[in-house]
Structures are given as C-alpha cells and as structure tokens.
Amino acid sequence: MYKDESIPISQLARGKVLGKAILKIGANHAKTSVQKVFVSKQKKEELKLSTEYKNAKLLMDSLGELKGISIKVAQQIALAMPFLPPAYLEEMNKSFQSVPPINRALVRKVIKQELGEYPQKYFESFELLPFGSASLGQVHYALYKQKKLAIKIQYPGVAKSIKSDLGILKFALTRFAKGRNIDHIMNEISQRLYEEVDYLYEASNLDYFYKNFQHPDIIIPEVFFDISTQRVLASSFIEGINLEQFLATKPSQLKRNHYAQILFDSFFITLYQLQRVHADPNPGNFIFMADDKLGMIDFGCVKKVERAFLESYNTLHLSLIDGVDDATIVEQYLALDMIDRASMQEMIEFYKEVIKPLDRIYIEIFLEDSYCFQEHNDFSKRGFETIVEVQKKQLDSVHKLNEEYIFLDRTLLGYYALFEKMEAKIETKFAKSIMRGFASKESLFLFKDMMQK
Ligand SMILES: Nc1ncnc2c1ncn2[C@@H]1O[C@H](COP(=O)(O)OP(=O)(O)O)[C@@H](O)[C@H]1O
Ligand SMILES: [Mg+2]
C-alpha cells in the first residue's frame, strides 16, 4: 500500500532527478536560440514564451518528484522572485501535491531513532496511521500521560537533502534570473528552510506563543519537550474541523465574522505586543473548535521584528490612515529603507510611481471601521499583484526594497485571502486602537484591558 521508496532521498537520487531537468532545459534553450535566428520579432516573443512554459514545467515536474522539501522551496521562490517568468510561477502553483505517507515500520523506526525507544515505551497508545500530512512529514495521534497529543514526524532524509537541493536549484534558477544576482534570495530561502526542518526551533516558537499569547478565543497547543527532537514535535491535540469543513456547515455570517475577527485582531495583538506574527496563514493551520474557539497551530514560520522597525512601520501606517501629505510619507519610507535619499522631488516621483499603489491597498481595509470581504472578494488578488508590480519596478530602479516590510504586507494579505474565503466582515477599530496605543506608548494598558474583556 505504501511506497516510501517513491520519495527519492539520497543526494544522488535527488541530484539525478533535477539534473535530468536541467539538461532538458539547456536543450530547449539551445533549440529556441537556433529557431530565433530565422523568425520575426513577434514570433520570437512567442517562441520565448513557449520555451519558458516548457522549462517551467520541466523544472516543476522534477521538483514534484523531489516532493517535500523542494515544494516548500518552490513556495519560497515564488514569493521571493517575482521576476521569474509567469509560466514558472503558474507551474509552481500547480505543484502542490500531497506526499505519500511513510509506512508503519518506518514510523516506528524514526521514533526509535529520535527518542531512543519504540513508541510503546513512551505512549499509552500511538496511531501508526497518520491523521494529518505536513509538508515535510506526517502527524500521528497519540496518548501520553493521559493526554491527547499530535506527534509530527519528519520524513527521514529531508534535512540532509536541503544543501544539495538548494545547490541544484540555484543552478537551475540562475537561468531564469536573467543575470540578476540571486545569492541573497537563495541565502534567505536556505535560512528559512533550515529553520523549518528543525522542529525544535518550531517547538520554541510554539512554546513562546503558548506562554505569551493569551487570547480568550484562541487555543494554542502545549509543547512536550521531553518527547520532542529536531524531527519529532509533540504537542497537545487540538480537536476541531478545518476551514473547508467549517464552511461546509454553512456557518452564519456572525460566526464567520467572529472567526475572521479573531484572526485579524491576533495579527495586530501579537505584532505589537510580542513583536512576532504567525506568518503562515494557510487554512490548514487554523482549527475551528467547539464553543467558537480557534485553534492556532504550525509555528514553523514566525516573523520576528525589531522594535525600531515596528515603530517606523506603525508611524507610516498611521500617517497613511490619517492621509498626511506625500512629503511626510516619503520621509517615513526613508526611515523604513524603502526609498533611498535623493532630492524630495525625485523621491516623491519614485514614491508615486512605484510604492503608492501598495499604500492604497493597505489602507483600503482601514479607512472605514469595518471592511466586508464578501463585497471585495478580489482584494487579496489585487494586493498580491500590486506587491509583485512594486517588487518588479523596484528591482529595476536604484532603490532598495525592505524585504521585511514586504514580507509583513504579504503575510497580512494571506490572512485577508482567508477572510475572502470566509466571506466575512471585520471590524478594524480595535486594530487601529492598538496602533495608536503603540504610538503613544500606552499599548501595555490597552492589552490588559482587552484581555480582561
Ligand atoms: N496539535 C495539533 N492538533 C491537531 N492537529 C494537528 C496538530 N498539529 C498538526 N496537526 C494536523 O497536521 C497538519 C500538518 O501539521 P503542520 O504543523 O501544519 O505541518 P506543516 O508545518 O508541514 O504545515 C495540520 O494541518 C493539522 O491538520
Ligand atoms: Mg501547516
């Protein structure tokens, strides 16, 4: 029934899969170059596009064969390299696929390798069939000291393969990057990947939120460090249904609003109170529980921000909401490293041309005290397109781009995409009061009030 041998794990096997694709890509390039000599300009464009599609497809097919880690890489690349041909990004979106589970014997073996003994030594019961699939592993249900736990187990070999995968991938991507230096992007991706395969890193993030984020409607799992390792993450089991199942129950408008509101508020509370946000608003990471509670899981991707950054970020957004003049906004973008110092006229021109569309998107939500995602169900799409446009234009200018700033905006858009699916209406008053409170350094009182409600 299971084919764990279908996950090519050894470096050689993985190298071969991608290597094949790279050879074919090379061949496709050569072929079009020859054809191009003989054809019209318009035809040339068409040829280029079709080659890009073929290459993108080839690369994605091989990433698909690599499964797990590389699909995660693919996601990151799509976000970090907006200049890639659209064909590539399309293929990337299609590439999400579930990885077949590893078999029972291997599950037992991984537990023994990681914890020292087979599961029966630690658990009153341990389901060898997974109930959930993770991007780099699978999740099992277990009973531990009378408690229901979710045990996430990483596929063997995943961590080891990052280095070779990244190397091969960089080689392949350089062809698409058209002479651009992609080192910093690759470094960032690799850093995030190393974090992602270290379940102890995730455990410490999870533990931090468990201990420091107290929200009356949010349940965060507790970590069991004594039975967690780099490849095994044991946390309390959160009982409930996922977004799709929730929507299938035809929940009332009130209920949908309630859940969207919790998510929206929690983004701003954690950003301003903890200087961290859950940066993976994937529907699978939120569990709809009984009594209108929301389970928040998967702290593999947590964004931390510095206080100084947050202050500039906040000042800017309040100025945008208050509609101050362009010159003031430009100064604030300077502080955020989104614009380089030049004459005011030049800066304003650049601002209007490149960054302003993103501002419009940001404040659209906040201009009124509520925003209805049912009426604006194209919002996140417009937002993501605007970010890509801004990134492209900025890449071609001398100005730098503050990745952190873009990252936060993009994460927020991920949350908005969920609200669209939920066809929810959110209230923005509380988020705005957090921002204003933070600006006037009253934030601590504010949070206390909120938590006592
Ligand atoms: N503590 C938990 N309680 C209930 N379900 C869980 C828990 N942890 C993980 N799961 C299930 O396993 C899936 C994958 O786990 P997750 O931590 O999100 O992995 P990944 O980081 O790969 O996305 C989740 O979408 C969820 O269905
Ligand atoms: Mg997840």
Side-chain angles (χ1 to χ4, degrees):
M1 182 180 164
Y2 297 111
K3 295 189 293 181
D4 52 71
E5 59 291 3
S6 67
I7 304 174
I9 281 167
S10 81
Q11 297 208 355
L12 193 68
R14 300 171 75 87
K16 256 207 269 190
V17 173
L18 253 181
K20 242 184 358 203
I22 290 166
L23 280 180
K24 282 196 218 156
I25 290 169
N28 271 346
H29 265 293
K31 211 165 99 199
T32 12
S33 306
V34 174
Q35 285 171 334
K36 267 191 203 156
V37 181
F38 301 102
V39 296
S40 70
K41 198 170 165 218
Q42 193 210 336
K43 186 86 188 142
K44 260 184 201 159
E45 272 306 304
E46 282 169 20
L47 263 177
K48 200 176 122 219
L49 264 181
S50 77
T51 312
E52 276 172 358
Y53 265 98
K54 270 189 221 146
N55 286 344
K57 180 131 189 40
L58 275 173
L59 190 60
M60 292 326 296
D61 284 351
S62 33
L63 289 177
E65 270 183 71
L66 289 169
K67 309 259 167 62
I69 188 79
S70 294
I71 289 171
K72 209 78 182 184
V73 180
Q75 278 174 274
Q76 307 264 358
I77 293 165
L79 293 178
M81 303 190 191
F83 49 79
L84 286 175
Y88 181 91
L89 298 177
E90 266 170 47
E91 283 302 321
M92 191 110 67
N93 281 334
K94 281 192 234 151
S95 79
F96 300 105
Q97 59 182 93
S98 54
V99 181
I102 52 172
N103 67 34
R104 297 159 193 249
L106 198 49
V107 168
R108 281 169 47 78
K109 214 172 121 189
V110 173
I111 293 283
K112 169 133 171 71
Q113 237 169 32
E114 292 296 310
L115 304 182
E117 298 289 343
Y118 287 111
Q120 64 265 32
K121 159 97 181 172
Y122 305 100
F123 302 99
E124 284 108 81
S125 73
F126 187 100
E127 298 271 343
L128 286 167
L129 269 181
F131 75 87
S133 60
S135 48
L136 311 176
Q138 58 194 35
V139 188
H140 294 258
Y141 178 80
L143 258 184
Y144 178 72
K145 299 183 179 166
Q146 310 290 320
K147 289 190 179 118
K148 297 174 178 178
L149 303 196
I151 315 287
K152 181 154 86 169
I153 294 181
Q154 192 173 105
Y155 296 128
V158 163
K160 252 195 289 181
S161 66
I162 299 183
K163 212 172 161 192
S164 63
D165 277 7
L166 281 173
I168 299 162
L169 203 65
K170 188 179 166 191
F171 180 76
L173 282 174
T174 308
R175 287 177 181 275
F176 289 104
K178 299 186 183 133
R180 291 191 177 95
N181 184 349
I182 59 168
D183 284 355
H184 66 290
I185 298 172
M186 291 306 291
N187 286 344
E188 230 182 80
I189 291 173
S190 100
Q191 158 102 31
R192 210 157 293 149
L193 273 171
Y194 278 110
E195 283 171 11
E196 207 135 358
V197 292
D198 181 0
Y199 284 176
L200 284 177
Y201 177 83
E202 178 174 344
S204 74
N205 277 333
L206 172 56
D207 188 55
Y208 183 89
F209 274 82
Y210 175 75
K211 289 185 174 139
N212 295 286
F213 181 38
Q214 274 100 32
H215 186 290
D217 295 316
I218 294 182
I219 310 291
I220 293 171
E222 180 183 358
V223 186
F224 291 76
F225 281 103
D226 49 336
I227 44 169
S228 294
T229 69
Q230 283 196 326
R231 278 162 218 150
V232 173
L233 175 54
S235 65
S236 46
F237 178 77
I238 303 283
E239 198 151 353
I241 53 179
N242 63 27
L243 178 63
E244 207 179 311
Q245 292 164 327
F246 168 69
L247 292 178
T249 66
K250 302 245 180 301
S252 68
Q253 183 74 51
L254 224 60
K255 217 168 196 155
R256 284 178 278 130
N257 293 354
H258 164 78
Y259 277 114
Q261 193 69 45
I262 296 177
L263 283 167
F264 181 72
D265 290 344
S266 76
F267 182 93
F268 292 94
I269 297 170
T270 57
L271 177 62
Y272 286 98
Q273 188 187 27
L274 310 177
Q275 288 172 220
R276 285 169 176 80
V277 291
H278 183 304
D280 187 6
N282 174 312
N285 296 337
F286 305 110
I287 297 175
F288 297 80
M289 306 175 69
D291 301 329
D292 295 338
K293 303 252 189 275
L294 181 80
M296 207 179 246
I297 60 167
D298 190 354
F299 290 77
C301 184
V302 166
K303 178 72 192 158
K304 295 181 196 164
V305 295
E306 297 293 328
R307 174 114 197 154
F309 169 84
L310 193 56
E311 278 168 11
S312 308
Y313 178 90
N314 192 46
T315 308
L316 170 72
H317 285 144
L318 285 174
S319 305
L320 289 174
I321 291 168
D322 295 337
V324 308
D325 58 290
D326 284 357
T328 308
I329 298 286
V330 159
E331 283 296 339
Q332 289 166 2
Y333 270 118
L334 257 170
L336 271 166
D337 274 345
M338 288 283 285
I339 295 181
D340 289 351
R341 170 131 351 247
S343 73
M344 185 47 88
Q345 198 196 336
E346 275 176 283
M347 290 194 296
I348 288 186
E349 250 165 54
F350 174 78
Y351 163 64
K352 280 189 176 155
E353 166 72 8
V354 178
I355 304 180
K356 202 163 181 170
L358 196 57
D359 290 353
R360 298 297 107 198
I361 288 284
Y362 184 86
I363 58 167
E364 189 175 319
I365 301 286
F366 291 98
L367 282 179
E368 305 288 330
D369 279 343
S370 67
Y371 191 86
C372 180
F373 285 91
Q374 193 166 17
E375 282 164 26
H376 302 98
N377 57 8
D378 65 334
F379 181 79
S380 64
K381 184 170 172 282
R382 277 190 283 134
F384 282 119
E385 281 168 3
T386 309
I387 287 189
V388 170
E389 274 309 299
V390 170
Q391 279 178 310
K392 270 191 194 153
K393 284 190 187 152
Q394 198 131 6
L395 273 168
D396 293 327
S397 78
V398 294
H399 298 270
K400 49 186 175 286
L401 181 102
N402 186 331
E403 276 301 332
E404 199 157 39
Y405 182 86
I406 295 291
F407 186 91
L408 274 182
D409 268 6
R410 217 162 29 203
T411 306
L412 203 44
L413 281 170
Y415 280 95
Y416 295 156
L418 290 182
F419 306 160
E420 283 166 19
K421 273 200 196 114
M422 293 159 82
E423 301 188 326
K425 184 169 159 183
I426 53 153
E427 302 295 321
T428 60
K429 248 193 191 146
F430 180 63
K432 282 186 281 196
S433 68
I434 293 179
M435 295 178 193
R436 298 210 191 273
F438 182 81
S440 61
K441 317 264 186 251
E442 285 166 2
S443 51
L444 279 178
F445 300 106
L446 216 121
F447 290 126
K448 260 200 207 129
D449 280 359
M450 138 93 203
M451 295 310 168
Q452 276 159 6
K453 256 190 240 156

